Amino acid sequence: MIPVLLIVIPLVSGLLAFLIKQEKSAKVWALLTSLVTMVVTILGIAVLHKPEYLQTNVPWLPNLGSSFSVTMDGMSKLLCLLTGIAYPGILIATWNTSYKNAHQFFALMLLMQTGLMGVFVASDALLFYFFWELALIPAYFLCSIWGGERRIAVTFKFFIYTFVGSLLMLIGIIWVYFHTTDHSFAMSSFYKVNLPGNTQGWLFWLFFLAFAIKIPLFPFHTWQPDTYEQSPTAVTMVLSGIMVKMGVFGILRWLAPVLPVGLWGWGDTAATLCVVGMLYASFVAMQQDDLKRLIAYSSIAHMGLMGLAIFVTSAVGIQGVMVQMFNHGINIIGLWIVVELIERQFGTRKMSELGGLAQKAPSLSIMLVVVSLANVALPLTNAFIGEFMMFNGVFGSKSSNYHYIFTVVGGISIILSAIYTLNMIQKVLYGNTSSLTANARDIRFNEKFVLAVLLIGIVVMGVYPKPMIEATRHAVDAIYSKMFIKLP
Amino acid sequence: MNAIVISAVLGVVMMFCGVFTNSKTAVRTVAIIGLLGLVVSNVLDMGGYHFFEKVNVRGMLSFDIIGLLFNTIAFGSTWIYFLLSGRDMERVGVNLAEYFALIFFVLCGIAIVSSFNSLLMLFLGIEIISIPLYILTGSDKRNLKSNEAALKYFLMGSFSTGIMLMGITLIYGVKGSFDMEVIRQGTLNLTPMIAAGLLLLLFAMSFKVSAVPFHFWTPDAYDGAPTVFTSFMATIVKVAGFIAFIRLFEGCFGDVKGQWQLLAAIITAATLFIGNITAVFQQSVKRMLSYSSIAQAGFMLFALVAMNNMAKEGMIFYAAAYSLATIGIFAVLLKMKDYTFEGFNGLAKRQPVLAATNTVFLLSLAGIPATAGFWAKFYMLSAAVEDGNVLWLVIVGVLCAAISVYYYFRVIQAMYFKDGDPQEIETSRSFKGLLIVIAAVVILLGIFPHWLLNQLYSFFYL
């Protein structure tokens, strides 16, 4: 019941939003319905524990053995919670930005939420693919209509990249489907399939490419910085905070338990790509002057770490990934909010044109410092625990031959991330004020409110991460045991 | 059987209609009502009401559910095409009634090729389809391009018919019969004669469905023909060619599939590749659509390569998805005066309904989920994966599908993201309403594909 609501509420409200012509009311409508979604999510996680509330299974395509089946397990809950909380936050934080044809903008945003929720709750491979693609279409229109100057070419690249990946995954899904014993797309049937090692080896790549493009892992990342830069910031927040998690989620849900032998076989190769990407992205991030591009590259580095922790397969690492998926989402949305505030006020995102904000806008500065430090995983912030667990997992991994090298190189990229982040703080907040920032004012109440909530969240989850670890432990065990049933 | 007789009769009726009345509205109304009757009679045929049971076809035709369901889809699409574009036919020339008559004759040919059991009937059906089309292509008499297209189409078409006859002759020489059952029996190895016959038939049918490397007539013929007839040729007629193709090869050479599958797969890959790559470079939407029809033909050829149950379901679904979407796009294109991509710039502001429905059709052609086109491609890919021998073809298909996104989305980009000064377009309320209905059908089929496919297994079962 709850997962169905999570899909239906944004879908219906998104379609209705097309009919609301006034900008203000469309905005209010979007905020209200996203709040409703959030409440439903929290209800599903905290109050209605019984499995019958969290599961629905309706026949959809009986001939094909596919059903509309949705469940919320530990991992889904976490990501639904992220989606549910992030949406109102994003809408409030960008409340003062105005869009032409606002009703269409908000309608597409809500439709995108439908796709995201669907991906996270689907427990049928075909349904998963359906939502996976559906999340992409609104994103394409959002970026192409409301984006920056080079939006059309950039978004097109993004779309084609991800589309190629998804189609390859579709072939993989169909292949596995024909090898299920009961010809079914259900997750449980997929988990039971035990394919020979070399088949899993090439199937791994079909799935891996789709997820690697989405995450994005080096060398499939080239769409990402451009798209983040050109998209309207509200969309960038959804893309980087939630949508890229679809890739990590996909690996954990559909790749690792279905094709573990393929994952073990190619794990070191994939992990090498992740590590190279982390290092590469960190070096590129150090060269950036544009705040959005800097954060985009930093995001590639951090997502690379999540990939690494998965591909060396250790329980602690995967647990860390789950925790980090949520926390990275929160932190990066926080960063984007700050960037949006800076850009709206000064009309620039170039660090060389900013400076001295600490004197003029103290609240903004505090927020920027905290989310930036969370981004580099300073202890006491939420990202610390996740990154610590991931490194722990990588270091102690038994299935990788190169885990020491991976740990060392990964560690270097974290140091680099501290360098470019602190450098960014220094350039934006300290030094002399420029002509642009001389008359800076501090942020408004709604912006303060969202950021304060984020800030409290960051600290609370940093100091007391136990509930989140508890909530996902089950999911990690489930994935892990599924993987080891198929030991060759 | 209902469909063959009634469509032929309706063709004659339309011819006389032109004699008795000069009112274009009256002619159009008669055609629309007549076609609706044809659809209904065919549906009744599916449900077991055969009007002409006494006619003895001596085993030359057999009416199975796939053929009948395909007829329903073809006639239904034609009916929608009449409703959307019937008015535009008036602008081609003075002989409106004859155009309708010719189209009814084409439909009669379609009903034959979807149910033939003898190579003679196949030949007859293909000719009944082709000859009216030559005339329709050249119906814009004073236009040089239309004349050129008709001549080219006619020469190429008759050439390929000759090849087909030669193939039939060779096979008749070996087996002594035109009957597909007889030909199939005992054909476990391709003797040189049969192999030659098979090759000639394969080439001739590839001509008809414009598979690479036999596609050269297609862009010119489609581009030169009056746009309103291109719409009909590129959709319903083309899909009918595939039904005939698959029926022929399954019926005659299904047991020796292993020996020609690779050749079919190579033709498929070439069709996908050339069709998609060439479509990318087109500047006119009409020409892009004709190359896109070649590219889509490549996907339909998957059914020939795989030839299993899933492929047949996929073929039926592809017929519906592709016809609906393409007819819709052509109907919008007909209203435009400028056929280039730039002509679509800024259409979304001036004509939101046209732009939105067109977007749905384009997404469907590109195969995005929640549109009918997704399931069409899904079934084709599944069929090939199930077959297991041609996985490389599946990968080629997928990469080509990604290329196709490029040119379909160029239209979307022009309509939504680019500013332009679109021409004044006159559209009626009913035209827009109908477009919305078709778009809704495309989306509904994209969510519930079994509404169509279950008709294969039981009458009117959802």
Side-chain angles (χ1 to χ4, degrees):
Chain A
M1 195 61 219
I2 299 280
V4 177
L5 282 181
L6 290 182
I7 294 170
V8 169
I9 296 172
L11 177 67
V12 173
S13 60
L15 291 178
L16 288 178
F18 275 116
L19 307 174
I20 304 171
K21 294 287 175 200
Q22 269 179 315
E23 180 173 353
K24 194 87 188 165
S25 25
K27 232 179 224 180
V28 174
W29 171 252
L31 179 62
L32 280 181
T33 51
S34 66
L35 280 173
V36 172
T37 315
M38 183 177 86
V39 170
V40 173
T41 320
I42 293 172
L43 268 183
I45 291 166
V47 184
L48 306 168
H49 286 298
K50 284 186 197 154
E52 62 257 36
Y53 293 126
L54 298 178
Q55 260 181 15
T56 308
N57 195 339
V58 185
W60 177 34
L61 304 167
N63 298 352
L64 284 176
S66 177
S67 56
F68 184 90
S69 82
V70 285
T71 11
M72 274 169 89
D73 58 3
M75 191 165 45
S76 309
K77 278 182 191 166
L78 203 65
L79 286 161
C80 288
L81 184 67
L82 176 64
T83 317
I85 293 179
Y87 253 79
I90 291 169
L91 291 176
I92 296 173
T94 56
W95 191 257
N96 300 327
T97 317
S98 69
Y99 307 96
K100 59 171 196 217
N101 293 330
H103 59 292
Q104 291 173 4
F105 181 86
F106 291 109
L108 288 168
M109 284 289 272
L110 291 169
L111 290 181
M112 185 151 69
Q113 195 185 16
T114 313
L116 292 167
M117 287 289 193
V119 165
F120 295 141
V121 297
S123 57
D124 180 286
L126 203 54
L127 195 66
F128 168 76
Y129 181 80
F130 224 67
F131 284 120
W132 174 276
E133 288 279 321
L134 280 192
L136 186 61
I137 301 290
Y140 172 73
F141 279 94
L142 281 166
C143 303
S144 298
I145 298 179
W146 289 277
E149 223 170 287
R150 295 187 297 123
R151 61 186 191 277
I152 296 178
V154 163
T155 325
F156 203 34
K157 181 160 102 180
F158 161 58
F159 187 86
I160 297 227
Y161 246 108
T162 38
F163 191 63
V164 171
S166 346
L167 280 173
L168 291 174
M169 175 172 73
L170 180 65
I171 298 178
I173 290 177
I174 294 173
W175 181 277
V176 178
Y177 159 72
F178 279 116
H179 291 82
T180 50
T181 43
D182 51 349
H183 268 240
S184 148
F185 281 101
M187 188 160 71
S188 50
S189 316
F190 264 53
Y191 283 2
K192 279 183 212 133
V193 175
N194 205 347
L195 294 163
N198 52 351
T199 313
Q200 291 201 24
W202 61 261
L203 272 177
F204 168 82
W205 284 98
L206 293 182
F207 283 88
F208 173 75
L209 278 174
F211 300 136
I213 290 171
K214 203 75 164 191
I215 288 179
L217 294 178
F218 177 85
F220 311 105
H221 64 282
T222 53
W223 61 267
Q224 190 249 35
D226 288 338
T227 310
Y228 284 10
E229 186 195 352
Q230 293 296 320
S231 305
T233 309
V235 180
T236 311
M237 289 177 199
V238 180
L239 287 181
S240 62
I242 312 170
M243 198 180 256
V244 296
K245 308 297 181 296
M246 277 166 49
V248 180
F249 174 86
I251 294 179
L252 287 177
R253 168 137 298 174
W254 294 103
L255 180 54
V258 179
L259 307 166
V261 182
L263 191 132
W264 285 320
W266 289 107
D268 277 342
T269 315
T272 311
L273 288 182
C274 298
V275 170
V276 172
M278 286 168 71
L279 218 51
Y280 167 81
S282 305
F283 277 117
V284 180
M286 290 169 72
Q287 312 296 323
Q288 299 303 319
D289 190 32
D290 185 306
L291 280 173
K292 266 191 160 180
R293 286 188 86 84
L294 185 142
I295 299 172
Y297 279 107
S298 128
S299 164
I300 295 179
H302 285 98
M303 296 306 290
L305 179 58
M306 291 188 213
L308 175 63
I310 296 174
F311 290 120
V312 300
T313 49
S314 68
V316 188
I318 291 177
Q319 173 104 59
V321 172
M322 293 212 185
V323 175
Q324 184 65 359
M325 269 200 279
F326 187 83
N327 289 332
H328 178 262
I330 298 287
N331 294 344
I332 199 154
I333 289 175
L335 272 173
W336 290 126
I337 293 176
V338 177
V339 172
E340 160 86 357
L341 294 177
I342 291 176
E343 190 188 2
R344 205 189 308 142
Q345 192 174 149
F346 307 113
T348 180
R349 302 186 298 255
K350 294 218 181 322
M351 288 191 281
S352 51
E353 293 174 11
L354 296 164
L357 272 185
Q359 314 150 26
K360 299 286 179 182
S363 316
L364 181 66
S365 307
I366 293 170
M367 305 296 179
L368 178 59
V369 170
V370 174
V371 286
S372 303
L373 291 181
N375 195 40
V376 289
L378 198 77
L380 291 188
T381 62
N382 56 356
F384 170 72
I385 182 68
E387 298 219 336
F388 176 77
M389 288 171 91
M390 287 195 279
F391 271 109
N392 196 351
V394 176
F395 190 75
S397 160
K398 298 220 165 34
S399 57
S400 169
N401 297 323
Y402 310 103
H403 50 125
Y404 293 129
I405 304 175
F406 290 152
T407 319
V408 172
V409 181
I412 293 175
S413 107
I414 296 298
I415 297 173
L416 292 176
S417 109
I419 296 178
Y420 61 72
T421 311
L422 293 176
N423 191 27
M424 185 254 298
I425 293 179
Q426 188 192 352
K427 279 188 182 161
V428 175
L429 299 184
Y430 303 109
N432 298 324
T433 53
S434 69
S435 56
L436 283 169
T437 56
N439 299 318
R441 47 156 195 79
D442 216 351
I443 51 183
R444 292 198 185 82
F445 174 75
N446 61 332
E447 299 149 356
K448 263 186 204 164
F449 171 74
V450 174
L451 283 168
V453 171
L454 273 177
L455 207 150
I456 293 167
I458 286 171
V459 174
V460 167
M461 283 183 284
V463 178
Y464 187 63
K466 201 174 156 218
M468 206 184 296
I469 295 174
E470 288 291 315
T472 51
R473 175 162 298 157
H474 225 68
V476 175
D477 289 344
I479 293 171
Y480 222 57
S481 60
K482 295 274 166 24
M483 287 175 76
F484 282 97
I485 287 171
K486 295 181 185 173
L487 261 180
Chain B
M1 194 71 202
N2 294 2
I4 297 177
V5 178
I6 294 176
S7 59
V9 170
L10 279 171
V12 178
V13 169
M14 288 313 298
M15 268 160 54
F16 280 99
C17 206
V19 176
F20 290 119
T21 170
N22 275 330
S23 155
K24 291 180 171 168
T25 323
V27 171
R28 209 175 56 238
T29 317
V30 172
I32 289 171
I33 293 173
L35 187 51
L36 188 61
L38 183 60
V39 175
V40 170
S41 72
N42 192 65
V43 170
L44 287 176
D45 210 352
M46 282 166 69
Y49 301 92
H50 313 298
F51 298 161
F52 306 98
E53 230 161 342
K54 300 233 172 70
V55 182
N56 185 359
V57 293
R58 294 178 187 273
M60 292 177 99
L61 296 169
S62 77
F63 301 94
D64 49 18
I65 183 70
I66 291 206
L68 289 176
L69 182 57
F70 173 73
N71 285 351
T72 312
I73 292 171
F75 300 160
S77 309
T78 314
W79 190 63
I80 290 168
Y81 160 74
F82 276 7
L83 288 177
L84 277 176
S85 309
R87 231 173 259 274
D88 297 289
M89 274 189 225
E90 293 167 10
R91 278 193 263 139
V92 175
V94 283
N95 310 314
L96 185 64
E98 279 157 38
Y99 303 148
F100 282 117
L102 289 169
I103 288 177
F104 275 114
F105 289 134
V106 173
L107 293 183
C108 177
I110 289 176
I112 294 177
V113 297
S114 69
S115 58
F116 69 91
N117 228 3
S118 142
L119 298 187
L120 226 49
M121 277 294 155
L122 167 73
F123 178 72
L124 208 63
I126 293 277
E127 281 302 274
I128 294 178
I129 293 177
S130 299
I131 292 170
L133 282 183
Y134 302 146
I135 307 171
L136 287 177
T137 309
S139 54
D140 193 359
K141 291 196 279 209
R142 292 190 181 75
N143 186 337
L144 203 61
K145 265 179 95 182
S146 176
N147 278 314
E148 187 201 325
L151 188 63
K152 215 171 209 169
Y153 190 18
F154 173 67
L155 288 178
M156 289 296 214
S158 44
F159 189 60
S160 71
T161 314
I163 292 178
M164 174 192 274
L165 259 185
M166 187 68 195
I168 294 177
T169 316
L170 287 178
I171 288 171
Y172 182 79
V174 180
K175 292 285 177 182
S177 168
F178 290 118
D179 193 89
M180 290 211 293
E181 271 306 305
V182 180
I183 295 170
R184 185 194 183 107
Q185 275 162 20
T187 310
L188 297 170
N189 266 313
L190 289 183
T191 59
M193 274 278 253
I194 293 192
L198 184 146
L199 269 185
L200 291 179
L201 280 175
L202 183 69
F203 293 164
M205 290 310 291
S206 299
F207 255 112
K208 295 293 178 198
V209 298
S210 65
V212 175
F214 311 100
H215 66 289
F216 291 102
W217 61 271
T218 318
D220 291 332
Y222 285 7
D223 198 30
T227 311
V228 60
F229 296 130
T230 311
S231 167
F232 182 65
M233 284 158 65
T235 53
I236 296 148
V237 176
K238 168 160 264 179
V239 184
F242 273 100
I243 292 290
F245 204 163
I246 288 161
R247 202 178 162 84
L248 171 67
F249 271 72
E250 197 194 12
C252 291
F253 312 115
D255 296 340
V256 286
K257 190 179 102 184
Q259 301 178 45
W260 52 264
Q261 190 184 31
L262 183 65
L263 187 61
I266 291 171
I267 291 181
T268 310
T271 310
L272 281 168
F273 195 70
I274 304 279
N276 279 300
I277 296 286
T278 329
V280 165
F281 296 105
Q282 301 308 314
Q283 296 309 319
S284 137
V285 175
K286 188 177 174 187
R287 240 183 134 74
M288 180 276 276
L289 282 172
S290 46
Y291 279 104
S292 127
S293 86
I294 298 178
Q296 300 280 352
F299 262 103
M300 288 186 251
L301 278 169
F302 269 71
L304 180 74
V305 176
M307 205 165 267
N308 43 28
N309 210 21
M310 205 135 197
K312 275 188 240 159
E313 292 184 355
M315 191 62 229
I316 287 290
F317 205 83
Y318 219 113
Y322 170 68
S323 301
L324 281 179
T326 311
I327 287 173
I329 296 176
F330 266 109
V332 176
L333 186 69
L334 274 169
K335 304 286 173 201
M336 313 285 290
K337 289 179 194 79
D338 182 1
Y339 284 173
T340 59
F341 282 95
E342 284 75 34
F344 279 81
N345 281 1
L347 186 73
K349 282 199 196 81
R350 197 67 65 89
Q351 292 283 357
V353 175
L354 259 58
T357 50
N358 219 3
T359 304
V360 172
F361 301 143
L362 287 163
L363 290 179
S364 176
L365 284 184
I368 307 288
T371 59
F374 168 71
W375 292 109
K377 287 211 167 68
F378 173 85
Y379 272 93
M380 290 302 180
L381 293 175
S382 299
V385 170
E386 190 181 12
D387 185 71
N389 294 323
V390 284
L391 206 69
W392 60 273
L393 183 62
V394 180
I395 304 280
V396 172
V398 159
L399 295 179
C400 286
I403 298 175
S404 77
V405 167
Y406 178 81
Y407 51 84
Y408 292 132
F409 275 49
R410 260 180 86 186
V411 184
I412 299 182
Q413 285 173 355
M415 290 189 303
Y416 279 94
F417 313 144
K418 295 194 173 148
D419 293 321
D421 195 23
Q423 327 90 320
E424 275 302 329
I425 304 168
E426 286 168 33
T427 48
S428 62
R429 210 171 261 261
S430 56
F431 177 77
K432 282 182 192 164
L434 198 59
L435 277 180
I436 293 174
V437 171
I438 301 173
V441 170
V442 168
I443 290 176
L444 279 178
L445 281 180
I447 300 172
F448 305 107
H450 52 289
W451 284 0
L452 177 65
L453 286 173
N454 279 350
Q455 308 308 324
L456 279 175
Y457 304 110
S458 59
F459 186 59
F460 266 122
Y461 174 78
L462 291 184

